[in-house]
Amino acid sequence: MLSRRNFLGTATALAGAAAITGRAQAASIPEAPTMEKVTMQPPLHPTSGPDYNPVVTLNGWTLPWRMNGDWKEFHLVAEPVEREFAEGMKAHLWGYNGQSPGPTIETVEGDKVRIFVTNKLPEHTTVHWHGVILPAGMDGVGGLSQPHIPPGKTFVYEFEMKHSGTFMYHPHSDEMVQMAMGMMGMIVVHPRDKSFRPVDRDFVFIMSSYDIDPGTYLPKVTEMTNFNMWAWNSRVFPGIDPLAVRLGDRVRVRMGNLTMTNHPIHLHGHNFAVSCTDGGWVPESAQWPEVTSDIPVGAIRAFDFTADNPGDWAFHCHKSHHTMNSMGHDVRNLIGVNKKDLAKVLGKLAPDAMVMGTTGGAMGEMEMPMPDNTLPMMTGSGQFGPIEMGGMFTVMKIREGLARDDYKDPGPYDFPKGTVAYEVEAPQSTAPRQVNDKTKAKPAAPQEMKGINMKGMKGMKGM
Amino acid sequence: MSDTHHIRRRTPARRGSRPAAAAVLLSSLFLSGCATFSPDAGMGVVAGVAGETIKKDVISIKTQDDALRADGAVKSLLRRSLTVDSAVQVALLSNRGLQAAYNELALAETDLVADTLPPNPTFSISRISGSGAVEIERQIVGDILALATLPFRSEIARQRFQKVQLRAAEETLRLAADVRRAYYRAVAANELVGLLTDAKSTAESTAQLAGKLGETGSLNKLDQAREQVFYAETTADLATIRQEATSSRERLIRLLGLWDGDVAIKLPQRLPVLPRRPLSLPGIEVDAVTHRIDLQIARIELGALAKSLDLTQASRFVTMIDVAGIDRKTRDPEGPPFRERGFDVQFQIPIYDGGEVRVRQAAETYNQSFNLLTEKAVNVRSEARNAFRVYRSTYDIAGHYQREVLPLRKIISDEMQLRFGSMQVDVFALLTEARQRIAALRAAIEAKRDFWLAQSELQTAVNGGGRGESQPENRSSTTAQASGGGGH
């Protein structure tokens, strides 16, 4: 799963060096582990320092550390990476330790952390520890609180994690480009007291958006609104792993938003309460129930709930374009146009294209040939057919009897008999409806709405 | 002969046998120079040129049989779709203008035969009588000089005839070149008509779609008009191209010399594909200078002039001699009738101009012709070079369209279809793309037409039969055509 080889190797070397001089130990830098897989990695249980119940990063991983005296030492390498958004589409991004977003940094309240940051980007960078209360000189704002880290150089950040909670890290140096290129990650600081609002399953992800033209690999860094990839941990549905949950588990989902718009995140089948923001824990007395939590730009929300309702539950952003993958934004509405008419046009313009959109957007299971390196606008399928979703969408799968650290996809839900919506025997087109006089009186039947007729061209037709 | 002055002198008939000997001598002279009518009326050269340079048969239609044969050949050629070769062949067999040129040739042969015959002798009898005396004088007058210069003159006449023959051959080549040009234009117009017919039907259905979208409320009047204007423009374009196709077809029919029932010629829908590689003609200038018929004609002209200059110098001092054999009978009333025999020679001596004027005239005419020939040769070389360069560049341009522009357009078209399929672009974006593709296809057809025209010009530049500088065709550019397409 991660290459510990270098990491451990260096640790051994360090031990040798420490025997000769104490200074060398402080000065030497731990190797940075790297990750290649894009699937959700199992939680990383602490082997040293205070114990805690680790988080699981959606389609991501947690950065291993080493203890050096009382210091927890991490090593982030800022570097170009290749990230697969879902099968069939790869993007050339910038990230940390082989992935974008970078690995989750997990610590415990009161930990002294030393984070080495090596810059392998072609330009300078810094890391800002978003939401962490720390000395000004460690805040990572290039120019303001520290010099930018030049390419090829390593800087070190040292501070104490004074507060537990959920935070983010991202550059504060050529921020627009570097964040648009995918440089970001999550920080989870566990309470020192394990009994403080504990949960059984703790999920974390960061939201980001990209504009990647079909057939290209680099996001457009100047885009402000028209993104076509709305991603959780730089993955889009169906590339986002399901959230497997044992029935009855206490579940927490921590979400950071580094897109340029807010995201109303909606979980089906349960109500939940926001338990934490990047400002700290919400007192239990102040929490109110929700099924959708709006997450502002540059903010964090974590919500807690008890998974008491088994099944496959949609979990998604409620902005419907954010649950779509790449699509054009300047496409005319073809609803109401006869399919045959359209087929006639398309047969001449694009013999291989299929007719769609005349009754709505539903594309069902049609497999369209597509440009290189792009994803169908809506996709994914469930046991009843196409799910017709993309982007910020996944499924919370609540099942009985999962093991504690079992986050594997448990497969489709086995619905108890008689609990699925079903078709009833009803004669078509006679659905009883109240007759509305107003609509009846409306004169504008579609046929009477005049478009431009072809009068002007009739004379030329015979030619 | 009428302008010669006779100076008569009576000489004794001592050497009565002399005129007979001279007659024998002269007759042997002129018999050698005498031409007869050729069985093919001089068509051999024309047929040779046509066969060698354009590999076609020519025929001078003189009899009912000829006409039937030509007609049969034309009919069988017209049964199939015309190629450029069959079109040229049909024209050579049935263009009446060309037949008229061949008639001209036959007429020229009559001149040749006339010029190679010795001058007819003049017979005269005079009888003078009075007061019982009668004098009867019989004369045979022959133009000895004309007879003496007969070989020269017949040679000149032969060369003149050769020139006329080459002129007829040139006419043949010119007709062939005209047919080729008209053929390529007509076929290119056909291909464009095909392209624009497709374009129109595409534009028509998208215009209808735009109308439907207006009805469903998806497209405002502005956008509907924008989508429909392509249909309107394509319709106009198609009408123009159809008219061009009809005109160019009629021009071809005129050149083919077709009448009534035969005008239903079948033309292919597309121009032939480009040759795999262009000709490389390093010796094109030499070829042109050797083959060009107009140059050959000019050379013959010069040769003839040179001959006639020699002739002029030879006859510088004695321009015209009449020899008359005289046989005179005189009967005097006083005496018995007696007979006198003798001959009479008359000649003109150019004592005033010493023949110098005519010599100068001949010399300057010769020099003029020589210079004109040289100029023509210079032009021919230049024309050949230019025709070859035009041929190469039109090949490269047409090839560029085939190898670069059209494949790129195909990629764009495919990618746009993919983008449409994955809902990246609107259906009307496909139309915009289609417009650009049509413009590119159109430019490609025109480039191919220009190549075939240039290839035809190249043949003309080497063999002759051209009409001087040809105007370059207007080619519609892709970008110009496609602009204003998708501005919505």
Side-chain angles (χ1 to χ4, degrees), chain A residues 84-126:
Chain A
E84 186 192 57
F85 275 70
E87 204 188 324
M89 186 187 170
K90 285 186 172 149
H92 297 164
L93 302 178
W94 287 352
Y96 299 96
N97 300 47
Q99 287 288 347
S100 165
T104 303
I105 293 174
E106 279 186 86
T107 63
V108 179
E109 190 183 0
D111 273 351
K112 282 157 80 180
V113 297
R114 182 180 287 137
I115 306 173
F116 295 88
V117 176
T118 300
N119 183 7
K120 287 191 179 171
L121 297 174
E123 66 169 359
H124 64 215
T125 186
T126 62

Side-chain angles (χ1 to χ4, degrees), chain B residues 386-462:
Chain B
N386 187 50
F388 183 67
R389 279 191 200 125
V390 171
Y391 166 83
R392 271 310 303 250
S393 69
T394 52
Y395 179 86
D396 290 344
I397 292 166
H400 189 73
Y401 270 100
Q402 301 298 328
R403 282 190 317 273
E404 305 290 334
V405 178
L406 295 186
L408 286 171
R409 275 278 155 223
K410 172 88 170 77
I411 291 173
I412 292 170
S413 186
D414 290 350
E415 286 298 314
M416 284 301 284
Q417 291 186 23
L418 290 178
R419 283 185 166 231
F420 173 75
S422 54
M423 284 195 87
Q424 300 291 332
V425 298
D426 193 74
V427 60
F428 291 109
L430 292 182
L431 178 65
T432 307
E433 195 282 315
R435 275 178 225 191
Q436 292 169 341
R437 191 177 55 209
I438 289 160
L441 285 169
R442 190 171 178 171
I445 292 170
E446 284 164 353
K448 200 160 60 164
R449 174 196 64 197
D450 290 351
F451 164 75
W452 287 114
L453 288 176
Q455 195 243 21
S456 178
E457 288 309 315
L458 182 65
Q459 252 176 298
T460 310
V462 174

Side-chain angles (χ1 to χ4, degrees), chain A residues 444-451, chain B residues 215:
Chain A
Q447 287 82 353
E448 289 169 292
M449 288 166 60
K450 284 259 157 60
Chain B
E215 287 166 15

Side-chain angles (χ1 to χ4, degrees), chain A residues 34-38 79-85 89-101 181 217-218 234-235 373:
Chain A
T34 188
M35 168 62 64
E36 279 149 17
K37 292 182 179 168
V38 290
E79 60 187 357
V81 302
E82 189 181 276
R83 178 76 174 176
E84 186 192 57
F85 275 70
M89 186 187 170
K90 285 186 172 149
H92 297 164
L93 302 178
W94 287 352
Y96 299 96
N97 300 47
Q99 287 288 347
S100 165
M181 288 294 287
Y217 293 81
L218 275 172
S234 301
R235 294 278 287 180
N373 199 48

Side-chain angles (χ1 to χ4, degrees), chain B residues 1 117-123 140-143 146-147:
Chain B
M1 249 188 267
L117 290 177
N120 292 320
T122 310
F123 297 91
I140 301 172
V141 180
D143 185 339
L147 206 54

